[in-house]
């Protein structure tokens, strides 16, 4: 249903919503009501809900928010979004990764060949027997190394027999010794991930690197999908499809393009823009309201990109701070690691920005539908109050999310009794601080930006030039009739 704002000279609108006197205006003429008139009661009886009949639109708030559909607004929005969408498509075409040869595996870290395995047998064994060749412990248990050395000599270890269940050597078995203080303990029948080193001696070619968590993760993902569909219904299904498409863009375009040597920042901007267009329009439909949310998200992403680039360079953040980034830099030395850090900031901020911009746009549309007489200034003031509540909760969410991810690192600094200034100055923490604050600034800016855009667009609608060509006056004439009994 297309919402058409009512004008002040509409008698039916005044009867439906209550007449509000204005200087110089007269109450609308209402036909006398009395007995004997078909379809009318006594003058002292309250009037029932108007029967809109089949000839008019019927002004009702029960059909949900409706986006402006005037030709004027569609032309203005298309003039901005069509070139943007064309630029995104061109970027995808130019930067799309080709069929480059695969990188030779180094056998280090994540870059190892892996197969699946299963624990077939466990036996307790004296640790001293399997660690006889090691240097005897000093007996000093005041350090972690000393305690581990003592445990290795005096504790009870477990000898696990592992069977390889996938690959060309399926059925082969090997032995893994599990120390008593090892963080990963094995159980009988447990599924594990084993690393394969073809150049190592035969007895050392296989080793356990992790446990197999595919079943619980897949079950949890299934529960998530069911919950989203049950609660969100068709909208939830489209959201899941958009999530799958976003993941496909990430794995099929963004990551391979970066590995091929394309600028990580450019790839992230193009990929994030594609994800934004697909996710928003797929989840919320092709409407002016969704287009305003897209514009608000785009402006906020540009602000995040500018601020991120400025402060990452100013703070001399290299982006190479741990074993994983060091391995990436070693395998692909041409990748700009600081640009990769900025790309992560942009992609990480996109999901929260979508939430805020869609919420603010919907708030403005709902307020306009509830009171079509509100101008852009009043709409902005009302919607920004909703946005302030949203800002307070979302910014706190971002900070806690990053703090939770870096909790082990923060715990190490706490153990070392480092000052707040020392902790914040370290590159590991400074990266998270810059990531959090840049994303939060873009998030905060998205609220007033999107609210202003939505208020201007919804107030500038021209219902007389709607796509359906229905004149506002003809709609009023249709609503003025009453169905005869």
């Amino acid at each position: 249903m297309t919402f058409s704002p009512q004008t002040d000279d509409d008698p039916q609108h005044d009867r439906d919503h209550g007449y509000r006197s204005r200087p110089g205006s007269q109450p609308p003429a209402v036909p006398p009501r009395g007995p004997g008139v078909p379809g009318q009661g006594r003058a002292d009886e309250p009037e029932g809900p108007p029967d809109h009949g089949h000839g008019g639109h019927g002004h009702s708030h029960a059909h949900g928010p409706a986006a402006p559909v005037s030709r004027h607004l569609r032309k203005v929005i298309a003039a901005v979004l069509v070139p943007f969408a064309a630029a995104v498509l061109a970027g995808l075409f130019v930067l799309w990764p080709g069929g480059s040869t695969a990188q030779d595996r180094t056998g280090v870290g994540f870059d190892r060949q892996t197969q699946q395995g299963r624990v077939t047998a466990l036996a307790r064994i004296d640790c001293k027997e399997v660690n006889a060749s090691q240097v005897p412990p000093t007996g000093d248990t005041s350090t972690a190394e000393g305690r581990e050395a003592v445990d290795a000599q005096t504790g009870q270890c477990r000898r696990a027999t592992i069977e390889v269940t996938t690959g060309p050597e399926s059925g082969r078995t090997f032995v893994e010794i599990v120390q008593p203080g090892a963080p990963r303990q094995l159980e009988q029948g447990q599924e594990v991930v084993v690393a394969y080193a073809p150049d190592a001696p035969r007895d050392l070619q296989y080793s356990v690197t992790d446990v197999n968590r595919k079943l619980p993760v897949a079950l949890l993902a299934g529960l998530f999908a069911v919950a989203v569909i049950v609660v969100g219904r068709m909208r939830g299904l489209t959201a899941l499809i958009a999530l799958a498409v976003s993941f496909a863009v990430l794995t099929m375009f963004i990551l391979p393009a970066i590995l091929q040597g394309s600028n990580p920042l450019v790839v992230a901007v193009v990929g994030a823009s594609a994800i934004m267009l697909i996710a928003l329009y797929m989840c919320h439909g092709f409407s002016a309201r969704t287009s305003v949310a897209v514009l608000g998200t785009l402006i906020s992403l540009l602000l995040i990109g500018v601020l991120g680039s400025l402060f990452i360079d100013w703070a001399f953040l290299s982006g190479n701070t741990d074993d994983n980034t060091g391995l990436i830099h070693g395998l692909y030395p041409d990748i700009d690691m600081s640009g990769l850090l900025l790309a992560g900031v942009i992609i990480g901020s996109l999901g929260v920005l979508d939430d805020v911009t869609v919420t603010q746009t919907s708030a403005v549309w709902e307020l306009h539908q509830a009171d079509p007489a509100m101008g852009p200034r009043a709409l902005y003031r009302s919607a920004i109050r909703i946005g302030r509540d949203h800002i307070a909760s979302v910014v706190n969410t971002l900070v806690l999310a990053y703090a939770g991810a870096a909790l082990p690192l923060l715990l190490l600094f706490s153990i070392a009794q480092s000052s707040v200034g020392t902790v914040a100055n370290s590159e590991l923490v400074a990266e998270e601080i810059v990531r959090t604050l840049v994303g939060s600034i873009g998030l905060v800016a998205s609220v007033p930006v999107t609210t202003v855009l939505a208020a201007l667009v919804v107030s500038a609608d021209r219902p007389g030039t709607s796509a359906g060509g229905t004149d506002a006056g003809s709609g009023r004439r249709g609503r003025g009739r009453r169905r005869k009994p």
Side-chain angles (χ1 to χ4, degrees), residues 268-362:
V269 169
V270 174
S273 299
I275 291 174
M276 174 184 65
L277 291 173
I278 294 171
L280 287 179
Y281 282 115
M282 183 174 291
C283 293
H284 305 285
F286 289 90
S287 64
R289 182 173 61 184
T290 307
S291 299
V292 170
V294 169
L295 290 175
T297 306
L298 174 61
I299 295 172
S300 303
L301 280 178
L302 292 176
L303 176 62
I304 289 173
V306 172
L307 290 177
S309 178
L310 174 64
F311 282 94
I312 286 175
D313 290 342
W314 195 5
F316 298 100
L317 298 178
S318 65
N320 189 2
T321 54
D322 56 21
D323 294 339
N324 295 330
T325 55
L327 179 59
I328 293 173
H329 185 65
L331 295 176
Y332 298 89
D334 295 332
I335 292 181
D336 181 9
M337 300 304 295
S338 61
L340 187 63
L341 173 62
L342 180 56
V345 173
I346 293 175
I347 296 174
S349 303
L350 178 60
V352 186
L353 281 177
D354 288 350
D355 173 43
V356 173
T357 54
V358 169
T359 300
Q360 283 304 112
T361 307
S362 297

Side-chain angles (χ1 to χ4, degrees), residues 359-431:
T359 300
Q360 283 304 112
T361 307
S362 297
V364 172
W365 250 260
E366 290 290 345
L367 289 169
H368 176 71
Q369 188 174 2
D371 187 0
M374 293 178 68
R377 189 186 299 268
L379 282 172
Y380 175 81
R381 280 199 292 258
S382 297
I384 200 65
R385 287 193 290 269
I386 302 173
R388 292 190 184 107
D389 292 338
H390 206 177
I391 286 174
S393 61
V394 173
V395 168
N396 193 44
T397 300
L398 277 179
V399 173
L400 291 180
Y402 286 125
L407 196 59
L409 176 63
L410 297 178
L411 187 61
L412 288 177
F413 281 110
S414 178
I415 294 173
Q417 298 182 353
S418 301
S419 64
V420 175
T422 302
V423 173
N425 189 66
S426 66
E427 186 170 2
L428 274 173
V429 177
E431 277 189 6

Side-chain angles (χ1 to χ4, degrees), residues 12 38 75 134 146 154 182 185-186 194 215 230 234 267 275 280 306 327 334 357 392 416 446 453 476 483:
Q12 181 66 32
K75 288 180 180 178
Q134 293 186 357
T154 62
Q185 297 294 320
L186 301 179
V194 298
L215 180 59
V230 168
M234 196 62 191
V267 172
I275 291 174
L280 287 179
V306 172
L327 179 59
D334 295 332
T357 54
S446 69
L453 289 174
R476 290 195 297 268
R483 184 185 304 165

Side-chain angles (χ1 to χ4, degrees), residues 134-155:
Q134 293 186 357
V135 177
T138 61
D140 182 11
T141 59
S142 61
T143 63
E145 293 82 1
R147 288 192 295 271
E148 290 177 1
V150 170
D151 290 340
Q153 292 292 327
T154 62

Side-chain angles (χ1 to χ4, degrees), residues 451-467:
T451 305
V452 167
L453 289 174
L456 292 175
V457 168
V458 77
S459 300
D461 189 24
R462 300 177 182 177
T465 59
S466 63

